[in-house]
Amino acid sequence: MSTPVVFAPALYYAITVRDNNEACRNFGETFDVNPFYSNDGVHCYVQCGICGQLMEILTATLLDPQPEVS
């Protein structure tokens, strides 16, 4: 099992996630999500669009510079 990724609140990251649901056709696949917004820094997740299960966040890199939001 991997070490949990720690997010700072209200920042954007580039992350990699993996689907660990054996019943899903995406099982074992990894996906890049960029940009990913960290919300409050605690409730950070990516949900599979096929099976609806939460995916495991493998890596996170803080974007520098942060995207400008209008």
Side-chain angles (χ1 to χ4, degrees), residues 1-67:
M1 185 169 213
S2 62
T3 303
V5 176
V6 178
F7 291 97
L11 293 174
Y12 287 92
Y13 292 81
I15 67 170
T16 304
V17 297
R18 179 177 54 219
D19 190 320
N20 293 330
N21 179 5
E22 293 181 8
C24 182
R25 70 177 185 215
N26 284 336
F27 174 67
E29 297 290 326
T30 59
F31 301 90
D32 295 322
V33 181
N34 183 4
F36 175 80
Y37 187 66
S38 65
N39 295 308
D40 62 359
V42 177
H43 300 94
C44 301
Y45 59 87
V46 176
Q47 185 175 12
C48 177
I50 303 297
C51 69
Q53 297 293 313
L54 299 184
M55 300 176 122
E56 179 183 6
I57 298 174
L58 302 172
T59 65
T61 304
L62 184 64
L63 296 181
D64 184 22
Q66 289 284 291

